[in-house]
Amino acid sequence: MKSKNTDNSALYATELVNRKSKWKLLGKQKGLIIMSVPFVLYIILFRYIPLWGWTMAFQDYKTGLAFKDQAWVGFKWFGELFRTTDYLNGGKTWNVEFLRSLRNTIGMSLISTVLGYITAILLAVFMNEVRHIGIKRFVQTVSYLPHFLSWVIVTSLVANILSVEDGTLNNILMYFGFAKEPVQWLATPKYFWHIIGWTYVWKEVGWNTIVYLGAMTAIDPCLYEAAEIDGCGRLKKIWHITLPGIKPTIIIMMIMSAGHILDSNFEMPFFLKNGMNLDVANTIDLYVLKYGFKLFNFSLATAAGIFKNVVNIGLLVVANTIAKKSGEERLM
């Protein structure tokens, strides 16, 4: 019968061997570790150290005062995001401005995400089915190029195209008789979210197809050959082979998008907003910009930023949990 000391010695020896093998593996990958140091430092310097500024959300922050002299107010500013002080009538009232910004952010983000997913998958399937190399390369090039334009340039193009005076779209509509007078696209609130969504599609659809095209290359060609022998046409092969083959990728991309629901595009609403569409153009980022850099209420602006990030992380965890319980691919 083995003694307890013998068992402990064996466990210690096994642990020592595993530890040595880990250090040996790290030694073999020394070059990769050295190459990763700048990226780790970048994350620490620009992602983690600035989190110290989150303390302003729990203070009645005043510029010019030292950190130890700031008044701590707990979760006061988080409450102000939803119920703000009514100085005219006394008491509290709903913070309509923030709630409207939250609604606009979610609306624009959902429209952009849904349209982006559908169009990217459709374009990827189309390019996967095209057999003419010249056409495929042309479509890829044309669809990828807008991704490399900055949002400022894209916004300027959209503003010129949708301009009431000499706007390209209005000129086309009036020339073919679809409109009798210029349409005020940017001054009509009901059009604004759709303009944001379709502009995002135009700019990013080609780039988003790269992931799905990569996933399609991993599908076994024998499946298509077997389906063709069974008499399946192109549509059936797409439905029963291509789409199920890229389903794990679609799930992963959806989970990742769930963590960016409150990260709507900043530049387009900022440059395209005006007095006529202000109610549907303001987002949480613009709310933070207004109260942080114009009204100098850094505490309220920081609280809004924290709220956005916490909700995004929560949605990411929820989406990942749902995928895990459904037996689908997940991030963690």
Side-chain angles (χ1 to χ4, degrees), residues 237-283:
K237 285 190 285 187
I238 291 172
W239 184 256
H240 295 289
I241 299 176
T242 304
L243 292 180
I246 64 173
K247 181 182 176 183
T249 304
I250 295 174
I251 298 297
I252 291 295
M253 297 300 291
M254 290 181 67
I255 293 173
M256 294 176 65
S257 295
H260 295 280
I261 290 298
L262 296 188
D263 288 333
S264 64
N265 182 273
F266 171 80
E267 289 86 352
M268 287 199 69
F270 178 74
F271 288 112
L272 295 181
K273 67 182 178 69
N274 53 55
M276 301 295 290
N277 61 26
L278 201 59
D279 287 345
V280 295
N282 270 332
T283 62

Side-chain angles (χ1 to χ4, degrees), residues 59-109:
Q59 302 170 338
D60 190 5
Y61 184 81
K62 304 294 182 184
T63 56
L65 292 180
F67 179 79
K68 60 183 178 61
D69 297 327
Q70 301 290 344
W72 293 86
V73 294
F75 291 92
K76 169 190 171 182
W77 297 110
F78 292 93
E80 287 285 322
L81 290 176
F82 298 95
R83 299 281 292 180
T84 189
T85 304
D86 186 354
Y87 295 100
L88 294 178
N89 302 318
K92 293 282 186 178
T93 184
W94 290 108
N95 189 345
V96 178
E97 184 180 6
F98 177 76
L99 294 177
R100 187 179 292 122
S101 299
L102 179 61
R103 179 204 64 185
N104 297 340
T105 303
I106 295 174
M108 290 184 217
S109 183

Side-chain angles (χ1 to χ4, degrees), residues 54 78 81 98 284-285 287-288 299-312:
W54 279 15
F78 292 93
L81 290 176
F98 177 76
I284 293 179
D285 290 334
Y287 183 88
V288 171
S299 296
L300 184 62
T302 306
I306 293 176
F307 169 81
K308 185 186 78 168
N309 286 286
V310 169
V311 171
N312 281 338

Side-chain angles (χ1 to χ4, degrees), residues 124-125 128-129 131 212-213 215-246:
V125 170
N128 187 61
E129 291 297 318
R131 298 292 178 258
Y212 300 111
L213 287 172
M216 289 175 188
T217 60
I219 300 175
D220 190 352
C222 295
L223 296 175
Y224 291 103
E225 295 174 4
E228 191 169 352
I229 293 173
D230 290 338
C232 291
R234 281 198 171 187
L235 291 179
K236 286 188 176 181
K237 285 190 285 187
I238 291 172
W239 184 256
H240 295 289
I241 299 176
T242 304
L243 292 180
I246 64 173

Side-chain angles (χ1 to χ4, degrees), residues 149-159 203 265 267-268 271:
L149 298 176
S150 71
W151 277 108
V152 177
I153 295 174
V154 172
T155 303
S156 299
L157 291 173
V158 171
K203 186 177 185 298
N265 182 273
E267 289 86 352
M268 287 199 69
F271 288 112

